[in-house]
Amino acid sequence: MNILIIDDDPNVRKTLGKILKIKGFEIEEAGTGAEATASCRAKFFNLALIDMRLPDTSGLEVLEAVRALNEDTIAIMMTGYASLDSSIEAMNKGAYSYITKPANMDEVLVVIEKGLEKQRLSLEYKRLLKELTAANEKLKELDKRKSAFVANVSHEFKNPLATIKNALSIIINGLAGDTSPKQKEFLSSAKNNIERLIRLVTDLLDISKIEAGKMEMRMENFDIVILLNEVLVDYERELAKKEISLKKDIQEDIGAIWADRDKISEVVINLLNNAVKYTPAGGEVGIKLIGEENELYFEISDTGPGIPEEYKDKIFDKFERITSEKTEGTGLGLPIAKDIVELHKGRIWVESESGKGSRFIFVLPKDFRGKNTSR
């Protein structure tokens, strides 16, 4: 450990230096501010003992110079003319502490040890912070590469899957010749699995674009009630099959809004999928839409198992599952919905109690016009 003693009195430098050398410190001396600054410029000192009065400058100016050259140097001021104002000023300029002369060496050693311990902790913190920052940058780069890889692979899968789906539809509909009922059963099962894979690929593409900041927003003027009713038509068969009733509370006179129509449709579909998936037979799914002066209020509710309190903060995390029950899906529907809502400068949250169903609520501005943009 290197200590620089800065004092114009050679006897003070000699006495302090002798005792500190016995304690195992390496000592250098400076009698003026200029000498002290030159020494600090030449090498790093763990600690500097600085007299408040020097022949060529003030101790406070030397303190500033020492700290400017290396902020990790611990500075302890020495003075025979201690005052509250000078002590406060020294601390404000970066001094760790101060001691009065004639010095009590036991007290000096205690202050020095505490100062060096503070330095050790500070340097360790900086080292760990530097390592953490480097690790975070590496993780960001790996995550960026992962997103690009997932996007590329998903894109390569999407077109072949669509082709297979269309081919299966042609065969099932008898356009390529007659098929037996058993063959249609197998083909329909294959088509359902292909559609599930297409949904998975679409979700992976969406989340990759969002993570990469490449999710494009295409603003258009459309009637939100018409959009909502179009989406609900697609769920009539599934709701009937599961004997789930649909409760609608839709304000019909909202009119046209400015937003990305396809993205808003995707949010509603993702939330409805979630509601239908977790609502048992004989249960109820509700959808509510209210138009306020500048905002739209959406609410999609279910009578499913609800969400335990400890999972509410995780419900919008990617790939998060809140139930051990095996269900289809990627675990990306809610995160994608959240990102799309936030891209529209909206808000989304969940209100739920375990065993009492859930209400997913999101609020959007009625007018989100602008250029085609991405996050």
Side-chain angles (χ1 to χ4, degrees), residues 69-182:
L69 289 167
N70 199 315
E71 63 177 11
D72 292 319
T73 297
I74 296 296
I76 297 173
M77 308 306 294
M78 302 185 296
T79 179
Y81 309 92
S83 71
L84 181 60
D85 289 342
S86 61
S87 301
I88 291 174
E89 187 175 1
M91 302 293 276
N92 287 338
K93 291 181 182 294
Y96 169 70
S97 186
Y98 71 96
I99 55 179
T100 56
K101 297 191 292 186
N104 179 309
M105 284 309 302
D106 288 336
E107 292 179 0
V108 171
L109 290 171
V110 168
V111 174
I112 287 174
E113 290 297 337
K114 286 183 177 180
L116 292 174
E117 176 63 13
K118 176 180 180 291
Q119 181 189 70
R120 184 188 70 78
L121 293 173
S122 176
L123 291 174
E124 179 67 8
Y125 169 77
K126 288 183 177 181
R127 182 186 68 80
L128 293 173
L129 183 61
K130 184 178 180 180
E131 290 180 1
L132 182 61
T133 301
N136 281 338
E137 290 301 318
K138 187 175 181 180
L139 284 173
K140 285 180 183 178
E141 179 60 28
L142 290 173
D143 190 59
K144 185 178 178 182
R145 293 182 183 181
K146 178 268 298 177
S147 295
F149 174 76
V150 170
N152 289 335
V153 171
S154 299
H155 182 73
E156 291 299 320
F157 270 105
K158 194 169 185 179
N159 289 336
L161 287 172
T163 301
I164 295 170
K165 176 189 171 185
N166 291 335
L168 288 171
S169 296
I170 289 171
I171 297 171
I172 292 168
N173 293 328
L175 300 177
D178 294 335
T179 53
S180 69
K182 195 65 178 176

Side-chain angles (χ1 to χ4, degrees), residues 208-258:
S208 296
K209 288 177 182 178
I210 290 168
E211 288 179 344
K214 295 180 180 179
M215 177 64 84
E216 293 183 351
M217 301 284 284
R218 295 180 176 87
M219 297 299 113
E220 57 183 296
N221 191 234
F222 62 95
D223 192 308
I224 185 62
V225 174
I226 292 176
L227 171 65
L228 207 55
N229 285 324
E230 288 175 355
V231 170
L232 291 174
V233 167
D234 293 333
Y235 284 87
E236 290 178 354
R237 184 177 177 183
E238 187 174 359
L239 291 169
K241 183 179 179 181
K242 288 190 67 175
E243 298 180 344
I244 296 172
S245 60
L246 177 64
K247 181 181 179 181
K248 295 198 296 183
D249 182 6
I250 299 174
Q251 182 181 327
E252 298 289 342
D253 61 350
I254 294 174
I257 68 166
W258 280 95

Side-chain angles (χ1 to χ4, degrees), residues 251 254 290-297 347 363-364 366:
Q251 182 181 327
I254 294 174
I290 298 174
E292 298 177 352
E293 184 178 355
N294 297 311
E295 291 184 324
L296 296 173
Y297 175 94
R347 312 181 302 282
V363 178
L364 296 174
K366 282 185 175 181

